[in-house]
């Protein structure tokens, strides 16, 4: 059954589940046999009969007052917001192929990436009376704080774990070498200097939080509305400055393009090896077939000296059909040599080649291109996906001789994906906020903690999976890209999402009373910002510090709000 049909049935089933509750002895519920033989009762009939009625979003989307029903709806709407973020990401990358990494990568991509979070924050306090908005706006603050804390703690720490390599005596990570396993001081990661610049920008972006907290810091009884306006202006100015920096320094987008080109080379070489019958690359149990990989090595090693030199690799790559893409063989050779030659002796030895192919196969499996042990279908699917990504993520500089095929269709597809993602975010943000609020009422759990933990999983899952896949390559360059995007995501939270939140507070005349939440955001951003701004080497023990800050953040908010009465 197609996945889209399954999704439709799941959403339709949600309506039946949450509306089709069995009638309890006190008359509650929707499904019951009445004296006139009626089995299904509408919400209005329940209300007329004395039962409680929940308010359906838009007048037709399902709602419920039970814990189980609200939990199901949180998962359903959360999944739809996740798909919205996925479509926006795919459309943004397609748009990159049309306008280039400068303006698009610096201006549109960061904004589109933060759009689901911004939309949820906006609707959290947009509807209802002022009192209802003041209550529901806690959900927006929970999402803002939870997203920032999750990126800098759970995701950052996970990337260190999957990307860890052996450390040298001066604590520099050795690419692709991981023999010390989970040594807290003997293994770790390292990044380049530009990544530390992104961390410094992230630390600076907390300035609007400080401005808006001035009345609370100095115990002022007036000026709250003024500081909200000043915080909004400073957040907007920092957002503009960050986008301009991205436009004129598009190094993050260029790194992603380089990785996409390498991925296309990977898929082409693996597919060529399978097609030209070095036997199956996977055994029946799904494990890589090492003897076949060794046969491939000997085929490329034309002089049989036990190592692959640059000329031999280039001759093999020229013979590979990369389908409709004029790939620069010199660039492809450079990328493969850099990826395989871990000893950096300008040749690929047999062990390096086998380990490199095994790593490629494992990455192909993690990409979710296919399932099962049919290696031919598996690699064909992976190749098609990599080819599509490569064809739409090309730098506008034509120095490498590559070109976009069918730019008109690329433009149309990009617009459709962006419209679909934006429409889904706009349509399902309000129902998700309402459901979280109802779930909070049903469980007596503060809505802040629900939104802090659950909602970032819906809006940031796509970026988290991509970051972990990048980091798992165990290369300094790809890890630098991963960390840079994490810091960039936090910067957008501290500028765009905060600006939306402050505009909402100012426009509706809400009370700014989020001292504990702001303190958590400030502490996590400053600790991680200062920690990563002035160093580029991170032993494995640093991930423990990051992981520990997540539960501590929840504890700090709970203690300050419910023990010291900061709310």
């Amino acid at each position: 059954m197609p996945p889209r049909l399954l999704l439709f049935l799941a959403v339709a089933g949600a309506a039946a589940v949450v509306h089709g509750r069995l009638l309890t002895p006190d008359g509650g519920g929707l499904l019951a046999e009445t004296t006139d033989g009626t089995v299904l009762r509408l919400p209005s009939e329940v209300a007329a009969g004395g039962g409680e009625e929940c308010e359906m979003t838009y007048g037709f989307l399902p709602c419920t007052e039970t814990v189980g029903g609200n939990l199901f709806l949180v998962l359903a709407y959360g999944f739809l917001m996740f798909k919205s973020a996925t479509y926006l990401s795919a459309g943004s990358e397609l748009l990159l192929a049309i306008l280039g990494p400068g303006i698009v990568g610096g201006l549109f991509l960061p904004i589109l990436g933060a759009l689901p979070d911004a939309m949820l924050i906006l609707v959290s306090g947009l509807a209802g009376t002022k009192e209802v908005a003041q209550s529901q706006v806690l959900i927006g603050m929970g999402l803002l704080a939870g997203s920032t804390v999750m990126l800098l703690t759970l995701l950052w720490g996970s990337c260190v774990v999957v990307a860890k390599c052996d450390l040298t005596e001066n604590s520099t990570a050795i690419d692709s070498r991981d023999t010390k396993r989970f040594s807290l001081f003997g293994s770790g990661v390292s990044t380049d200097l530009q990544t530390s610049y992104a961390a410094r920008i992230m630390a600076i972006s907390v300035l609007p939080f400080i401005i808006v907290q001035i009345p609370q810091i100095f115990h002022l009884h007036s000026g709250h509305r003024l500081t909200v306006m000043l915080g909004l202006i400073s957040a907007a100015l920092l957002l503009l400055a960050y986008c301009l920096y991205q436009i004129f320094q598009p190094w993050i987008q260029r790194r992603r393009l380089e990785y996409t080109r390498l991925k296309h080379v990977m898929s082409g070489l693996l597919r060529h090896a399978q097609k030209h019958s070095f036997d199956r690359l996977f055994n029946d149990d799904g494990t890589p077939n090492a003897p076949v990989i060794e046969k491939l090595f000997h085929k490329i090693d034309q002089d049989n000296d036990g190592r692959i030199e640059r000329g031999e690799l280039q001759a093999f790559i020229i013979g590979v059909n990369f389908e409709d893409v004029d790939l620069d063989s010199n660039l492809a050779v450079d990328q493969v040599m850099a990826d395989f030659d871990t000893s950096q002796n300008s040749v690929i030895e047999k062990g390096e080649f086998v380990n490199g192919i095994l790593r490629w196969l494992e990455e192909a499996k993690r990409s979710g291109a296919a399932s099962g042990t049919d290696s031919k279908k598996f690699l064909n699917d992976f190749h098609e996906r990599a080819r599509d990504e490569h064809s739409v993520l090309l730098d506008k500089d034509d120095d490498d001789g590559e070109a976009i095929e069918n730019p008109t269709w690329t433009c149309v597809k990009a617009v459709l994906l962006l419209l679909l993602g934006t429409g889904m975010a706009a349509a399902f943000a309000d129902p998700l906020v309402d459901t979280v609020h109802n779930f909070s009422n049903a469980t007596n759990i503060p809505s802040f903690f629900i939104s802090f933990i659950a909602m970032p999983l819906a809006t940031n899952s796509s970026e988290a999976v991509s970051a972990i896949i990048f980091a798992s390559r165990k290369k300094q360059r790809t890890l630098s890209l991963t960390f840079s995007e994490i810091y960039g995501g936090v910067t957008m939270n501290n500028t765009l999402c905060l600006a939306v939140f402050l505009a909402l507070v100012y426009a509706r005349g809400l009370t700014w009373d989020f001292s504990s939440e702001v303190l958590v955001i400030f502490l996590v951003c400053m600790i991680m910002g200062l920690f990563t701004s002035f160093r580029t080497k991170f032993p494995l023990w640093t991930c423990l510090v990051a992981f520990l800050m997540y539960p501590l953040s929840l504890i700090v908010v709970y203690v300050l709000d419910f023990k010291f009465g900061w709310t």
Side-chain angles (χ1 to χ4, degrees):
M1 186 177 293
R4 289 182 176 84
L5 181 57
L6 287 174
L7 177 61
F8 172 78
L9 292 176
V11 175
V17 168
V18 299
H19 285 296
R21 299 191 302 270
L22 293 176
L23 185 67
T24 57
D26 60 358
L30 300 176
L31 189 61
E33 184 171 358
T34 61
T35 56
D36 59 358
T38 303
V39 176
L40 180 63
R41 301 174 64 189
L42 299 177
S44 59
E45 296 173 326
V46 175
E52 295 183 356
E53 178 188 5
C54 60
E55 183 179 353
M56 295 185 292
T57 308
Y58 308 136
F60 66 90
L61 287 181
C63 67
T64 179
E65 294 166 358
T66 66
V67 174
N70 277 304
L71 178 60
F72 181 87
L73 287 179
V74 167
L75 295 176
Y77 291 137
F79 175 76
L80 292 171
M81 290 300 295
F82 162 74
K83 295 301 294 182
S84 167
T86 302
Y87 293 142
L88 286 171
S89 176
S92 300
E93 291 180 346
L94 287 170
L95 195 63
L96 183 63
I98 303 301
L99 300 179
I103 296 177
V104 175
L107 182 60
F108 293 107
L109 295 193
I111 293 176
L112 290 172
L115 183 61
D117 283 354
M119 197 73 69
L120 285 167
I121 291 172
L122 178 63
V123 302
S124 67
L126 197 60
T129 64
K130 183 177 178 180
E131 290 72 20
V132 172
Q134 186 70 52
S135 174
Q136 288 196 352
V137 82
L138 273 174
I139 298 175
M141 176 54 70
L143 171 62
L144 180 59
S147 177
T148 295
V149 173
M150 188 197 78
L151 290 174
L152 290 178
T153 57
L154 298 182
L155 183 56
W156 192 94
S158 298
C159 289
V160 171
V161 173
V162 300
K164 66 181 179 62
C165 298
D166 295 346
L167 298 180
T168 62
E169 293 182 355
N170 63 351
S171 298
T172 300
I174 305 174
D175 284 354
S176 303
R177 182 182 298 178
D178 185 17
T179 61
K180 298 181 180 179
R181 299 179 65 82
F182 290 95
S183 173
L184 294 179
F185 297 93
S187 62
V189 299
S190 57
T191 63
D192 58 20
L193 190 60
Q194 286 180 309
T195 305
S196 64
Y197 298 158
R200 295 175 190 177
I201 294 173
M202 177 192 70
I204 295 173
S205 68
V206 301
L207 179 62
F209 285 105
I210 299 175
I211 294 175
V212 78
Q213 281 295 120
I214 289 178
Q216 284 80 7
I217 295 174
F218 295 101
H219 303 287
L220 302 178
H221 298 289
S222 61
H224 293 75
R225 190 169 174 81
L226 175 62
T227 54
V228 169
M229 173 59 72
L230 293 177
L232 171 59
I233 294 173
S234 63
L237 292 176
L238 285 174
L239 173 63
L240 177 62
Y242 180 68
C243 290
L244 291 175
Y245 172 79
Q246 289 281 71
I247 291 173
F248 294 106
Q249 298 290 334
W251 52 275
I252 295 179
Q253 287 73 33
R254 296 185 187 279
R255 285 180 179 176
R256 173 173 285 185
L257 295 176
E258 291 177 8
Y259 172 73
T260 305
R261 293 190 181 102
L262 174 60
K263 188 176 179 181
H264 184 63
V265 174
M266 289 166 47
S267 65
L269 293 180
L270 292 176
R271 183 170 176 267
H272 180 83
Q274 178 69 48
K275 185 177 180 180
H276 289 77
S277 194
F278 305 115
D279 207 350
R280 297 173 60 185
L281 287 173
F282 288 95
N283 297 314
D284 292 336
D285 59 357
T287 59
N289 192 339
V292 173
I293 298 175
E294 294 179 1
K295 289 180 182 179
L296 176 60
F297 173 83
H298 292 301
K299 178 179 176 62
I300 302 175
D301 181 21
Q302 297 177 354
D303 57 7
N304 296 320
D305 62 351
R307 58 185 185 178
I308 297 176
E309 299 175 352
R310 181 182 178 87
E312 295 172 325
L313 180 60
Q314 186 166 15
F316 179 75
I317 289 178
I318 290 175
V320 176
N321 178 19
F322 284 97
E323 295 186 3
D324 303 327
V325 177
D326 184 17
L327 188 72
D328 188 334
S329 61
N330 290 317
L331 177 61
V333 170
D334 290 339
Q335 291 178 315
V336 176
M337 291 291 293
D339 201 46
F340 279 24
D341 183 20
T342 56
S343 61
Q344 298 182 353
N345 59 353
S346 300
V347 295
I348 301 176
E349 298 172 357
K350 185 176 181 179
E352 294 174 332
F353 182 83
V354 172
N355 290 335
I357 293 295
L358 291 175
R359 190 170 64 249
W360 281 9
L361 292 173
E362 183 64 28
E363 183 166 346
K365 292 174 64 176
R366 281 198 304 267
S367 70
S371 59
T373 60
D374 186 351
S375 58
K376 183 176 181 180
K377 182 179 185 302
F378 177 90
L379 294 175
N380 283 340
D381 291 345
F382 178 59
H383 177 71
E384 290 177 5
R385 177 175 297 190
R387 182 191 61 195
D388 292 342
E389 291 179 2
H390 178 264
S391 66
V392 301
L393 280 177
L394 296 177
D395 199 332
K396 295 300 289 183
D397 300 332
D398 292 331
D399 297 339
D400 55 8
E402 300 174 9
I404 303 171
E405 184 180 353
N406 200 349
T408 302
W409 167 241
T410 300
C411 182
V412 171
K413 188 176 181 180
V415 172
L416 291 177
L417 285 172
L418 291 175
L419 289 176
L420 178 60
T422 304
M424 290 181 64
F428 295 108
D430 194 18
L432 179 57
V433 170
D434 289 342
T435 304
V436 170
H437 185 71
N438 293 336
F439 183 75
S440 173
N441 292 335
T443 59
N444 292 322
I445 300 175
S447 58
F448 171 84
F449 294 103
I450 299 174
S451 57
F452 185 99
I453 297 172
M455 293 178 70
L457 297 177
T459 58
N460 295 308
S461 293
S462 177
E463 291 79 2
V465 172
S466 176
I468 292 175
I469 290 177
F470 270 41
S472 65
R473 293 195 54 77
K474 297 182 180 294
K475 296 280 186 178
Q476 183 194 77
R477 194 164 184 80
T478 52
L479 182 69
S480 297
L481 170 62
T482 299
F483 279 177
S484 297
E485 292 193 333
I486 290 176
Y487 303 148
V490 174
T491 301
M492 293 303 294
N493 285 344
N494 294 344
T495 53
L496 175 62
C497 294
L498 178 61
V500 172
F501 192 88
L502 291 175
L504 182 65
V505 171
Y506 186 85
R508 299 218 58 184
L510 304 180
T511 302
W512 179 267
D513 192 14
F514 308 105
S515 297
S516 59
E517 294 85 353
V518 169
L519 178 63
V520 165
I521 296 174
F522 176 80
L523 289 177
V524 172
C525 286
M526 292 307 297
I527 291 173
M528 293 300 295
L530 294 175
F531 184 61
T532 57
S533 293
F534 300 101
R535 63 183 300 166
T536 58
K537 303 167 186 177
F538 305 97
L540 185 59
W541 63 264
T542 57
C543 75
L544 300 179
V545 177
F547 288 143
L548 186 61
M549 282 195 291
Y550 187 83
L552 286 178
S553 299
L554 287 170
I555 293 173
V556 167
V557 173
Y558 177 80
V559 170
L560 293 180
D561 282 351
F562 296 96
K563 300 300 180 182
F564 291 92
W566 276 32
T567 53

